[in-house]
Amino acid sequence: MTTERILLVITIMASITYICRMLPIVFIRRKIKNKYFRSFLIYLPYGVMAAMVFPKIFFSTASIYSGILGAIVAFILAYKKRGLLVVALSSILTVALAEWIISLI
């Protein structure tokens, strides 16, 4: 991934996050009481970020199988409510071990 592409992705994610936070402040002067609309505004930036990052998980490794294993480990640990650092490091370690095993075969 080139530097320009990384900067573009960061700019898009920051813009989406800013717009989702800014629009209610500008257009709605009173407190939003609808819990569904509030949760939509809270989780929208995370959904956009996941949609942009998720496909790269599988195709950023030498083998798609190591990417799949890393994603499975990340999903399981995230489901068990482990911290972000634990999830990230565990999935990276899984991908590294899978790539090493695949290279031996």
Side-chain angles (χ1 to χ4, degrees):
M1 188 178 272
T2 65
T3 304
E4 291 84 16
R5 176 106 173 142
I6 292 172
L7 291 175
L8 176 67
V9 169
I10 290 171
T11 303
I12 291 172
M13 287 190 306
S15 300
I16 296 285
T17 303
Y18 178 74
I19 289 170
C20 292
R21 303 289 187 200
M22 183 259 320
L23 284 178
I25 293 170
V26 171
F27 293 114
I28 303 171
R29 297 292 180 190
R30 57 188 169 84
K31 182 174 171 98
I32 299 172
K33 294 181 182 176
N34 187 333
K35 66 180 179 179
Y36 299 109
F37 187 63
R38 287 178 61 184
S39 66
F40 172 77
L41 292 175
I42 290 170
Y43 292 117
L44 183 66
Y46 301 111
V48 170
M49 186 174 64
M52 292 175 69
V53 170
F54 188 72
K56 280 297 206 184
I57 292 172
F58 302 113
F59 302 111
S60 64
T61 60
S63 170
I64 193 167
Y65 301 113
S66 61
I68 291 170
L69 283 173
I72 289 170
V73 168
F75 285 136
I76 290 170
L77 291 175
Y79 182 74
K80 293 185 175 196
K81 300 186 189 269
R82 300 292 186 243
L84 178 62
L85 186 63
V86 172
V87 172
L89 291 177
S90 299
S91 61
I92 290 169
L93 182 63
T94 302
V95 169
L97 286 173
E99 288 288 331
W100 180 67
I101 290 171
I102 290 171
S103 70
L104 293 177
I105 296 176

